[in-house]
Amino acid sequence: MSGRDYEKQNDIDHTRIVTGDRNNTTSEDDNRSYQSRSSFESEYTQYQEGNPFKRFINSFKPIDLESDGIDTTGMTQVEKAVIATAKHPLARSLKSRHLEMIAIGGSIGTGLFVGSGYALSLGGPGSLLIGYVIIGYALLTVVNCLGELSVQFPVSGSFNSYYSRFLEPAFGSTFGILYALSWCISFPSELIAAAMTVQFWTTDINPAVWVAVFWVVIVLINLFGVKGYGEVEFVLSIIKVLAVVGFIILGICITCGVGDQGYIGGRYWRDPGSFNHGFKGLCTTFISASFSFGGVELVALAAAETQNPNVSIPKAIKSTFWRIFIFYILTAIIIGCLVPFTNDDLLNGTGIAASPFVIAINQGGIKVVPHIMNAVVVIAVISVGNSSVYGCSRTLASLAVQGLLPRIFGYIDRNGRPLVSIAFTCAIGLLGFLVAYEDEGTVFTWFFSICSLSSFFTWGAINVCHLRWRYALAAQGRSTDEIIFKSPLGTFGSWCGIVLLALVVVGEIWISIFPLGSPADVVTFWQNCLSLPLMIIMWVSFKTWNKSWNMLWVKLEDIDLDTGRRELDLELLKQELAERREELSSKPWFYKVFRFFF
């Protein structure tokens, strides 16, 4: 099928979008439009010709998408952005098993294995647990909101495009760029972490060599496209999950008396105590907790590259509750039982030696397990580095097709890879060679200050997008019966998430102005809060550049509730959803409980 044929067969669908006649097309036209679009993308994704070498070379060529003939005269920037992200031809190669493992173990990395020790030392076991519970619940509301939206609109860039659709483009630009920056900066820092972790075994090799090795590995993985990313994350996530579950079981055994220390129980919760530095100590755990949880939103980011988002995304979203409970809450309790917050290695240890996992196992007198945990940390670092390239490149590509970044970042080759965005992210990864610089820690501290608080704002904005999606349905006289996957927490959960994240930001600003154990310090404040004025400056700059001060929000009546759906026949969709609900209502209560959590 040629690009021109694709254009002609999609005229009906795109005319419907431009004119606003969203509900008057026939289901036959809609289905034919959707099927032709899917067929066209499949042809290009599976493009084959010539010998293997020629196929490899041709795979890097751009997808030959001709203009769809849409008359954009009089269209707002929001309408253009919505259509562009709905059409963006990323490959749809991720399966349910990929998405479920990305959801379960994709973000488990140094934040959990090492960063939890820093939070424990400053706040104590009680603060660590409360901090994980608060951030965990807030993230649970965010993920459920994302699940509802990404199943409904599995478009390029997912939640980055929702900011423009449900809020307005200046918010989309600001939050999208900050989110991309957070992954971009994370990539070289993970390379450095991997190099330093390997030094647990040998210090004879310059760490810059290991940075080069891991950089090449991660670049090659991402050149295999989304399927390569999915397969690697599937395997690495299984290893990380098994490691954490194994530590939990081993930790319970050590707490109950297995090992050199005898029975421990809640000894360290009583002496030296459950809390350190009071309420300020609790506030210090929030940043560490957010770093540990970072990446939960990757499930939604992958929505456009998923074969069947209606099935795979809800399953992945529902597993988030168990991941938070098992991998973070239980781990926080066990770490608090095994390691006192006064342990010197928590703050002064280097690399894996500062991990409470390793400290706990060493204190238990078990010799070989620290080497195993070190290997797991290396795997976790590679995984997070891999996710950094994926998250940053897809965000940049989404921003480009929305017209919020130069169009070159939206270049998609015939294998569905955002090639220019991947190349840009990998180039930034070369900053990992700063490992050879004496003050690399200071450099990265200032790099991370750019996006220090931005995660809380991007997460909170997702909850706002969910609320505006629900309110837009009501404002346009439509019911929630057309929602494919409803967030179990509903709009109440969205409001709770917004309030919690706002309070966390206030707490972080407070301890940045008045840090622990020292007087007010300007440098500390800007290192922790530089992202706050930066967001305001970016938002004002985008509003001024686009001359859009006449619109602070997209009106609820004007929000596009149709573009980007894979199911275009609303009546048929409502009928199918009603049948599912009726079938579920006929099941016994224990089955309903099971379906709620799985």
Side-chain angles (χ1 to χ4, degrees), residues 109 150 156 172 274 317 349 364 379 416 499 529:
S150 56
S156 174
S274 300
I317 295 300
I379 289 171
V499 171
C529 301

Side-chain angles (χ1 to χ4, degrees), residues 114-127:
V114 180
S116 56
Y118 179 76
L120 175 64
S121 67
L122 294 181
S127 293

Side-chain angles (χ1 to χ4, degrees), residues 491-519:
T491 55
F492 173 78
S494 298
W495 280 114
C496 286
I498 292 169
V499 171
L500 281 176
L501 291 169
L503 292 175
V504 167
V505 169
V506 171
E508 288 307 311
I509 294 174
W510 175 53
I511 63 169
S512 298
I513 298 174
F514 304 104
L516 281 173
S518 61

Side-chain angles (χ1 to χ4, degrees), residues 125-141 269 282 285-286 288-290 292-293 320-321 324-333 496-497 500-501 504:
S127 293
L128 178 66
L129 178 59
I130 293 173
Y132 272 22
V133 168
I134 291 175
I135 299 298
Y137 177 74
L139 264 293
L140 190 63
T141 67
W269 286 72
L282 172 62
T285 65
F286 293 146
S288 295
S290 65
S292 299
F293 284 104
T320 304
F321 169 81
I324 291 174
F325 178 72
I326 295 173
F327 301 142
Y328 294 96
I329 307 303
L330 282 184
T331 299
I333 295 172
C496 286
L500 281 176
L501 291 169
V504 167

Side-chain angles (χ1 to χ4, degrees), residues 319-569:
S319 70
T320 304
F321 169 81
W322 298 108
R323 191 191 82 178
I324 291 174
F325 178 72
I326 295 173
F327 301 142
Y328 294 96
I329 307 303
L330 282 184
T331 299
I333 295 172
I334 291 171
I335 287 174
C337 290
L338 295 178
V339 183
F341 66 75
T342 53
N343 188 291
D344 187 61
D345 286 335
L346 290 174
L347 275 179
N348 300 322
T350 58
I352 194 65
S355 169
F357 290 73
V358 173
I359 294 170
I361 295 168
N362 279 331
Q363 289 183 165
I366 303 172
K367 303 302 181 184
V368 69
V369 176
H371 292 276
I372 297 174
M373 287 305 303
N374 196 65
V376 171
V377 171
V378 172
I379 289 171
V381 169
I382 295 173
S383 172
V384 176
N386 189 31
S387 296
S388 298
V389 177
Y390 179 83
C392 183
S393 62
R394 268 54 181 185
T395 302
L396 292 175
S398 173
L399 292 171
V401 299
Q402 294 178 61
L404 305 176
L405 282 182
R407 292 185 61 184
I408 187 65
F409 285 100
Y411 179 100
I412 304 293
D413 68 12
R414 292 180 178 180
N415 279 351
R417 296 169 296 197
L419 213 56
V420 173
S421 294
I422 290 175
F424 176 82
T425 308
C426 292
I428 298 297
L430 296 174
L431 288 173
F433 287 105
L434 285 171
V435 71
Y437 178 54
E438 290 182 0
D439 293 329
E440 57 88 13
T442 303
V443 173
F444 275 96
T445 296
W446 283 107
F447 276 149
F448 276 110
S449 69
I450 297 173
C451 48
S452 53
L453 293 177
S454 62
S455 294
F456 299 121
F457 285 95
T458 54
W459 290 336
I462 290 169
N463 284 335
V464 176
C465 288
H466 178 251
L467 290 173
R468 287 181 59 79
W469 145 248
R470 288 291 190 97
Y471 296 156
L473 281 173
Q476 296 182 26
R478 296 165 65 166
S479 72
T480 58
D481 291 341
E482 64 183 74
I483 299 177
I484 301 172
F485 168 71
K486 292 182 180 179
S487 166
L489 303 175
T491 55
F492 173 78
S494 298
W495 280 114
C496 286
I498 292 169
V499 171
L500 281 176
L501 291 169
L503 292 175
V504 167
V505 169
V506 171
E508 288 307 311
I509 294 174
W510 175 53
I511 63 169
S512 298
I513 298 174
F514 304 104
L516 281 173
S518 61
D521 180 48
V522 174
V523 174
T524 301
F525 173 78
W526 288 117
Q527 285 179 341
N528 292 339
C529 301
L530 182 60
S531 59
L532 186 57
L534 182 62
M535 279 189 289
I536 297 173
I537 292 171
M538 290 175 64
W539 183 78
V540 171
S541 299
F542 283 119
K543 294 293 289 184
T544 304
W545 177 264
N546 293 316
K547 300 177 182 179
S548 58
W549 284 105
N550 61 325
M551 179 185 68
L552 295 180
W553 296 90
V554 179
K555 293 181 180 179
L556 293 176
E557 296 80 6
D558 296 334
I559 291 177
D560 187 345
L561 302 179
D562 293 289
T563 305
R565 291 173 180 260
R566 292 191 188 177
E567 292 78 11
L568 298 176
D569 190 332

Side-chain angles (χ1 to χ4, degrees), residues 46 56 72-73 92 94 99 126 153 224 230 242 258 315 340 346 397 406 415 425 458 531 537 541 557 584:
Q46 300 174 4
F56 175 75
T72 60
T73 304
R92 295 175 180 173
L94 289 179
L99 217 59
F153 308 102
F224 279 100
L242 291 176
V258 175
K315 285 184 178 180
L346 290 174
N415 279 351
T425 308
T458 54
S531 59
I537 292 171
S541 299
E557 296 80 6
L584 182 61

